Amino acid sequence: MAEASGPAGDKPSEAESESESKPELASEQIGRMLEEMHLRLCPGLKETEKEAPKQVLGTIDVQGLAKFIKEGKAKNIVTMAGAGISTAAGIPDFRSPGTGLYDNLGEYNLPDPMAIFAIDFFQEEPAPFFKISKALLPDKFKPTYTHYMLRLLHDKGLLKRHYTQNIDMLEDKAGLPEEKVIYAHGNFKTGHCLACRRQYDFEWMRELVLADKIPKCEQANCGATVKPDIVFFGESLPARFANNVEPDFSSADLLLIFGTSLVVMPFAALVDKVKDEVPRAYFNRELGEGAVSDWLALLTGIKTGLQCNAEDNYRDVFVKGDCDAGCLKLAELLGWKAELEALYKEGHAEEEKPGASGDAQKTDAKSAS
Ligand code: OAD
């Protein structure tokens, strides 16, 4: 950015003085300036722009997507997910009007809804976060069809990596091995004392949270709050995220994105990390912010985010609706529907067995009534 702007106090250049006297040239100059800015920000683009982007999908729809996978052209699939993949499990997302978490925090008296996940606020007032955590503890919920679709991709040897913003660990419950999942916003598996960094496990935190207590460090002379290893606003993403993004995305041959508004950075920007010809499919109820080509793209030619509604879209498939329905449709087109349904059925039966974590849902529901 520093390179793009001249030092303060520079005299107007010849071109600038000219534009003052010949206003009809202003738009041409603005165009050149934007092109210049575009090249400075994205130095590799000049060469690639010369070639027309390659369309590798026969048709830009779920049928085209299924054909691409069926023909064996997707062997290194990277998937991305947000809260929308877990709403069918009973966990609210963040931003859906009315039902999203941020619309339902009135009782917490927060300076703004996102403060509940802001590190500065948590350090001062951890109680609201732990109160909401009690309702959202990960052992209460069962994976959805979308989680089992991820599992199926893994079982078939097609999943390169799954990147999730979710902290509910339903990917884990659906049977995705740990090395296949990047918990970009952390999870509840462990926690650390904010002061001495002593580590605590989920079970220890869970007991306290269920008893409406704030987990406090048990180390002698400490007693500071213990925070689950969830990435709060104001904190860095885990090193595993940073270490894997480049190799995973640069070698991906298909990107599948499920149930996220694509508004939180740096996660949302991952969609731009795959190669230009790599198809991207977005399973969501509506086109999130990052999936709409905006005025800046029209003006500057710098296209970031998905281009589902752009006239020259050549690779971004929008599978509108609930992502479970989208996954079942895709599975059907792939001839995998029976396998997906069986995984879901077996997984849920396992969760319902006495002593399984899903059993906590029934116990808690009983004690709440
Ligand atoms: P959002 O609530 O921002 O977006 C969820 C998206 O999923 C919305 O576009 C919904 O319309 C869509 N959706 C909901 N249910 C769906 C379903 N069953 N099928 C298909 N689409 C569905 O949640 P995220 O994008 O995950 O970060 O939010 C990103 C981050 O913002 C979270 O990780 C969290 C939050 O602040 C932190 O707390 C650090």
Side-chain angles (χ1 to χ4, degrees):
M1 289 303 276
E3 259 185 52
S5 57
D10 270 2
K11 282 190 197 157
S13 68
E14 217 174 290
E16 280 168 330
S17 330
E18 223 178 295
S19 79
E20 276 168 27
S21 55
K22 291 184 184 170
E24 70 274 15
L25 289 181
S27 62
E28 241 173 70
Q29 285 169 354
I30 290 171
R32 274 202 305 275
M33 274 166 54
L34 289 170
E35 197 181 331
E36 172 81 354
M37 192 174 88
H38 181 192
L39 290 173
R40 286 189 189 201
L41 289 171
C42 317
L45 286 182
K46 199 169 188 177
E47 292 74 39
T48 52
E49 269 175 354
K50 286 180 195 154
E51 297 160 25
K54 201 165 136 197
Q55 179 172 332
V56 296
L57 292 179
T59 53
I60 306 173
D61 52 22
V62 69
Q63 285 78 11
L65 178 65
K67 191 161 176 272
F68 186 75
I69 299 172
K70 251 183 156 172
E71 287 171 352
K73 293 177 178 159
K75 292 197 166 71
N76 287 300
I77 303 176
V78 170
T79 53
M80 293 168 58
I85 73 165
S86 298
T87 53
I91 305 173
D93 66 7
F94 296 89
R95 295 177 181 80
S96 283
T99 56
L101 202 62
Y102 292 149
D103 264 2
N104 290 286
L105 296 171
E107 63 178 289
Y108 296 95
N109 230 352
L110 300 164
D112 91 270
M114 284 200 277
I116 201 156
F117 297 115
I119 190 64
D120 292 353
F121 184 80
F122 178 83
Q123 280 162 339
E124 298 294 317
E125 276 189 62
F129 169 78
F130 284 113
K131 200 166 169 200
I132 196 94
S133 295
K134 185 177 175 183
L136 299 175
L137 277 175
D139 62 355
K140 289 185 178 182
F141 305 98
K142 296 190 200 90
T144 65
Y145 279 104
T146 306
H147 292 99
Y148 287 111
M149 184 69 178
L150 299 169
R151 161 78 186 278
L152 202 50
L153 289 172
H154 166 64
D155 288 353
K156 292 186 179 291
L158 303 178
L159 184 69
K160 172 102 191 158
R161 200 91 67 182
H162 175 60
Y163 284 73
T164 184
Q165 297 165 100
N166 299 344
I167 56 176
D168 53 37
M169 299 195 305
L170 290 182
E171 286 93 349
D172 186 57
K173 260 192 196 175
L176 277 182
E178 210 171 332
E179 83 272 5
K180 283 286 167 183
V181 187
I182 306 275
Y183 292 96
H185 294 170
N187 61 37
F188 272 98
K189 259 186 183 169
T190 52
H192 282 86
C193 168
L194 285 177
C196 74
R197 306 302 302 155
R198 180 172 170 179
Q199 183 169 311
Y200 291 87
D201 65 17
F202 171 66
E203 279 311 314
W204 179 85
M205 291 183 286
R206 180 179 178 276
E207 290 302 306
L208 293 165
V209 171
L210 287 178
D212 297 317
K213 289 184 182 145
I214 293 175
K216 294 284 180 188
C217 184
E218 291 174 343
Q219 187 93 322
N221 304 321
C222 188
T225 304
V226 173
K227 182 181 87 64
D229 293 337
I230 288 165
V231 179
F232 277 44
F233 290 112
E235 292 190 300
S236 302
L237 271 59
R240 250 191 107 223
F241 175 87
N243 295 339
N244 286 287
V245 161
E246 282 307 327
D248 285 349
F249 281 74
S250 62
S251 59
D253 45 25
L254 176 63
L255 180 64
L256 302 177
I257 305 142
F258 300 99
T260 171
S261 56
L262 290 173
V263 294
V264 173
M265 294 293 177
F267 192 90
L270 292 179
V271 300
D272 291 314
K273 297 272 180 200
V274 290
K275 291 193 179 118
D276 283 352
E277 70 271 18
V278 170
R280 307 180 294 191
Y282 183 45
F283 295 72
N284 210 59
R285 281 184 182 156
E286 77 285 310
L287 283 179
E289 217 168 271
V292 181
S293 50
D294 59 11
W295 63 270
L296 191 66
L298 292 174
L299 203 64
T300 62
I302 304 174
K303 291 188 173 177
T304 58
L306 303 176
Q307 301 294 315
C308 302
N309 71 347
E311 270 183 23
D312 56 355
N313 175 24
Y314 63 94
R315 61 162 167 169
D316 292 340
V317 177
F318 178 40
V319 186
K320 188 176 176 169
D322 282 6
C323 41
D324 278 3
C327 285
L328 282 161
K329 175 77 190 166
L330 179 61
E332 187 182 0
L333 292 167
L334 289 166
W336 302 353
K337 196 173 174 194
E339 275 174 276
L340 178 57
E341 284 174 338
L343 268 182
Y344 179 93
K345 218 171 143 188
E346 283 159 23
H348 279 221
E350 201 58 40
E351 287 294 323
E352 278 156 20
K353 278 186 185 161
S357 58
D359 204 38
Q361 189 167 11
K362 286 181 238 152
T363 319
D364 287 343
K366 246 189 242 160
S367 59
S369 61

